[in-house]
Amino acid sequence: MTEIFDAIKKSAIDIKNLIETGDTSKSSNENSTGDTQLKLDIASDEIIEAIFKNVSCIKAIVSEEQEKIVPLNENGKYLIAYDPLDGSSLVDVNLSVGSIFGIYEKEFTANNLVAAAYVVYGPRVELVIATEDVKMYRLINNEFKFMQELKLNEKGKLNAPGSTQNCWSSFHKQLIDDIFEDGYRLRYSGGMVPDLHQILLKGGGLFSYPGTTDRPKGKLRQLFEVFPFAYIYEKANGQAVDGFKRALEVETTHIHDTTPCFFGSNEEINRVLKVYKENAK
Ligand code: AHM
Ligand code: MG
């Protein structure tokens, strides 16, 4: 898998340069989820695809920005699902964004996920790779240097509540209010990569993107966003759930499926599971 991580590092350097100089305007295309693609989304996607094409162990890829699975090397062992530039609409206001990668074997389903990684493009560029453990690297003089292993505490202090609040169920609203009542601080930028990175580095808390009246299955995509971060959070001693069960037990019927999701340290996630069990019909 080293070749894959080297390819991710190479693409991260190119995408960092693209973000610094690229055009942040909209293209005339929509992706499979119906979002208007930015020129940066398309260019980041092309960078990753061109680099992955030369990695012989990659059998096929699928991008959040593309409709279908793209076959690459027939004898490859791994399948990669990726979001080339998550939170891309934040680039024009100069907030942090990221790339997310899920590495699968055999099929694009949660139980076949074997590793995950993400890159945060912020004031610094950082890469987090989860295999059996979770390691963070930082781009220094064009090379990724190992910085530290990441582990969540049992309980944190941050709360990152996603989605449109007037579409929350009453019990979800109560849960979030109670968490704030207990002294948690709001930390939500609108980019899941920096928001989840912050919770990981500060030791814990809760990030939620629930099912809502306007989007009963949430917004975040299983293969490109939820499963990779679920893998990373579990390996860092935390949890990721859909409200009722592990996110990594959610079934995928279509590559662009979404799911409600909650990521965090153990205490916060156990609280979510209890509230959802008591309240959801
Ligand atoms: P994108 O893939 O179209 O950029 O959308 C994903 C982003 C996540 O990074 C973030 O957590 C979420 O959308 C924010 O959505 P909202 O503004 O509805 O809270
Ligand atoms: Mg995304």
Side-chain angles (χ1 to χ4, degrees):
M1 240 186 288
T2 317
E3 291 159 282
I4 296 176
F5 299 135
D6 287 345
I8 290 174
K9 289 174 185 167
K10 198 160 181 266
S11 69
I13 294 171
D14 290 354
I15 293 173
K16 166 198 151 39
N17 292 332
L18 174 79
I19 293 168
E20 283 172 5
T21 55
D23 174 354
T24 59
S25 65
K26 289 180 177 159
S27 73
S28 51
N29 306 342
E30 277 190 359
N31 67 13
S32 301
T33 323
D35 307 322
T36 303
Q37 290 173 307
L38 300 185
K39 290 179 185 164
L40 280 178
D41 289 316
I42 299 170
S44 309
D45 191 28
E46 287 170 355
I47 287 173
I48 295 173
E49 182 170 338
I51 291 173
F52 280 175
K53 263 192 184 144
N54 295 318
V55 181
S56 59
C57 65
I58 306 179
K59 189 179 171 90
I61 54 174
V62 62
S63 161
E64 182 180 300
E65 302 304 336
Q66 293 189 41
E67 187 68 43
K68 292 193 181 122
I69 296 173
V70 180
L72 291 188
N73 301 294
E74 212 183 311
N75 297 323
K77 180 173 178 194
Y78 299 107
L79 307 168
I80 304 184
Y82 62 92
D83 183 351
L85 198 60
D86 184 70
S88 53
S89 64
L90 299 173
V91 173
D92 62 357
V93 292
N94 205 12
L95 285 174
S96 300
V97 292
S99 303
I100 313 167
F101 303 86
I103 302 163
Y104 299 80
E105 278 182 22
K106 300 186 194 86
E107 266 190 288
F108 284 110
T109 54
N111 57 333
N112 283 304
L113 192 58
V114 292
Y118 68 84
V119 182
V120 200
Y121 309 97
R124 293 160 158 175
V125 175
E126 289 177 339
L127 163 70
V128 171
I129 296 177
T131 49
E132 277 318 300
D133 50 15
V134 184
K135 292 198 168 90
M136 184 183 99
Y137 303 81
R138 183 175 298 147
L139 187 65
I140 300 172
N141 296 331
N142 245 23
E143 266 185 45
F144 281 94
K145 300 253 165 30
F146 172 72
M147 302 306 290
Q148 67 184 93
E149 206 171 304
L150 301 181
K151 285 266 180 255
L152 286 156
N153 299 330
E154 276 303 289
K155 175 184 182 318
K157 293 180 184 149
L158 307 181
N159 190 17
S163 83
T164 313
Q165 300 197 9
N166 64 5
C167 299
W168 287 354
S169 66
S170 54
F171 70 84
H172 181 80
K173 183 172 182 345
Q174 191 63 53
L175 167 68
I176 298 298
D177 287 350
D178 289 347
I179 290 173
F180 282 128
E181 203 54 45
D182 289 347
Y184 283 73
R185 293 195 298 276
L186 174 66
R187 291 290 183 270
Y188 193 76
S189 74
M192 81 180 297
V193 178
D195 288 339
L196 285 167
H197 189 58
Q198 178 166 208
I199 291 173
L200 261 179
L201 278 152
K202 303 277 187 198
L206 177 68
F207 173 99
S208 45
Y209 206 107
T212 52
T213 49
D214 60 338
R215 296 175 191 248
K217 295 212 150 173
K219 171 185 182 188
L220 299 177
R221 296 88 172 165
Q222 297 175 6
L223 296 186
F224 316 107
E225 297 170 326
V226 178
F227 295 162
F229 271 110
Y231 190 91
I232 292 164
Y233 265 60
E234 285 194 358
K235 295 292 180 192
N237 283 355
Q239 297 184 56
V241 299
D242 71 351
F244 304 95
K245 60 180 180 299
R246 287 173 67 224
L248 292 176
E249 285 169 10
V250 169
E251 217 179 303
T252 301
T253 51
H254 185 274
I255 53 176
H256 289 282
D257 280 352
T258 61
T259 178
C261 54
F262 304 81
F263 304 86
S265 25
N266 288 321
E267 192 164 314
E268 291 81 1
I269 295 294
N270 291 339
R271 186 169 183 170
V272 168
L273 289 169
K274 185 164 180 283
V275 168
Y276 268 69
K277 192 172 175 193
E278 282 166 7
N279 291 281
K281 283 158 237 142

